[in-house]
Amino acid sequence: MSSDLSLTPNTHTMQRLESLKRATGKGVDYWKGREIHAVMGYPVWGPFERVIERAEVAMRGNDIDPAKHVFRTKKMMERGQGAEARGRDYILTRGACYLIAMNGDPSKSEIAAAQAYFASQTRRMEIIDALSEDAKRIQLRDKVTEAHKKVSRAATGAGVRSHRQPVFHEQRYRGLYDARSVDVYAMKGLTAKELLFDRAGSLELSMHEFAMLLAADTIVKEGIRTEQHAVEKNFEVAQSVR
């Protein structure tokens, strides 16, 4: 018999846990207790619920608020002869599931597989979350460049001539910083040859991106068709963002 067959139960458990994974509208992964208890080697609900409670105790012992990872809810369940009753269920974050697996019966092969699955999932997200600030900033820098192109096109459509684009964009600095761009550069120790966007942090870049996208959208939606109006609107939008 091939030794690979010994991995089948663990592989099956991992595949089932992956298939039962859900996600919120913001892309946050979660699992439901009633859907995974049997998969994790607890065919009876009661003992699994006690493992959840032990996981909550472990969270408190590590200064983690269980309320942020274990959410109590209700589930309609059949009781026989067509009768239904509401039973307790739990919505569990990835971190909660990992601690549940760590507090489960180590003699169960399903628990061992769950530990491996949630550990790898947790590690994967840690790596994603640990993206360096520089990497995030570079990604955001590209988005700012696209936003700059978009608001410049909107300005052109509103009648801002090419040689007047610097005047148009100057209003964003005045609105966001309550200062001229040359003063902003001076405060940051930048020379005229340097670009603020190449030196700005993530929060500052996000501020500029949002201001530019909002200004572009406003200019188009309000049907602005004069250069002066577009310049004034750019300032108003940036000021409101500040």
Side-chain angles (χ1 to χ4, degrees):
M1 182 180 295
S2 170
S3 60
D4 288 344
L5 292 179
S6 64
L7 298 178
T8 301
N10 281 4
T11 302
H12 176 72
T13 297
M14 292 181 179
Q15 290 176 341
R16 288 287 293 135
L17 289 171
E18 179 67 19
S19 68
L20 293 170
K21 180 173 67 178
R22 297 166 179 254
T24 66
K26 294 183 178 181
V28 178
D29 295 338
Y30 70 93
W31 288 257
K32 287 192 171 183
R34 291 277 182 179
E35 293 179 347
I36 65 172
H37 70 93
V39 178
M40 293 179 68
Y42 289 86
V44 179
W45 172 248
F48 184 74
E49 194 169 22
R50 288 192 285 276
V51 179
I52 294 177
E53 292 169 357
R54 289 200 296 272
E56 289 181 303
V57 172
M59 289 182 205
R60 293 189 188 95
N62 287 279
D63 296 324
I64 299 172
D65 184 1
K68 295 182 179 179
H69 295 273
V70 179
F71 306 91
R72 284 163 175 74
T73 184
K74 297 290 184 179
K75 176 183 174 70
M76 293 301 297
M77 296 175 294
E78 294 184 4
R79 293 300 190 189
Q81 297 183 339
E84 290 186 333
R86 293 175 68 84
R88 187 160 51 224
D89 198 357
Y90 298 86
I91 293 175
L92 307 165
T93 67
R94 183 188 303 103
C97 289
Y98 176 65
L99 284 175
I100 289 168
M102 295 303 295
N103 281 274
D105 184 350
S107 68
K108 295 179 180 289
S109 62
E110 295 92 343
I111 283 294
Q115 289 176 356
Y117 172 78
F118 287 115
S120 65
Q121 288 288 304
T122 302
R123 178 56 181 159
R124 178 176 65 83
M125 291 308 298
E126 286 176 350
I127 291 172
I128 293 174
D129 292 342
L131 279 172
S132 69
E133 179 65 22
D134 283 346
K136 292 180 181 178
R137 194 194 64 76
I138 290 171
Q139 293 173 355
L140 185 54
R141 176 67 175 87
D142 291 338
K143 293 173 67 176
V144 169
T145 298
E146 292 305 310
H148 191 277
K149 292 178 182 178
K150 183 173 182 179
V151 75
S152 296
R153 288 195 297 269
T156 298
V160 178
R161 292 159 291 176
S162 59
H163 71 280
R164 295 280 291 172
Q165 285 279 348
V167 175
F168 172 81
H169 288 290
E170 175 69 20
Q171 300 312 303
R172 185 175 67 259
Y173 284 88
R174 290 177 178 271
L176 291 176
Y177 299 97
D178 193 24
R180 299 176 303 165
S181 60
V182 291
D183 296 326
V184 173
Y185 270 56
M187 287 187 293
K188 293 178 175 293
L190 300 176
T191 67
K193 293 183 178 180
E194 294 177 295
L195 293 177
L196 173 67
F197 294 159
D198 291 335
R199 295 294 188 90
S202 296
L203 183 60
E204 193 171 9
L205 286 171
S206 295
M207 176 178 69
H208 277 273
E209 182 200 16
F210 180 62
M212 287 188 283
L213 292 177
L214 183 58
D217 188 60
T218 302
I219 289 170
V220 171
K221 285 185 175 179
E222 293 188 5
I224 294 174
R225 286 293 179 268
T226 68
E227 181 179 288
Q228 185 59 34
H229 194 183
V231 169
E232 292 172 354
K233 183 59 65 174
N234 198 27
F235 172 77
E236 290 174 12
V237 168
Q239 193 175 45
S240 68
V241 170
R242 187 185 75 200

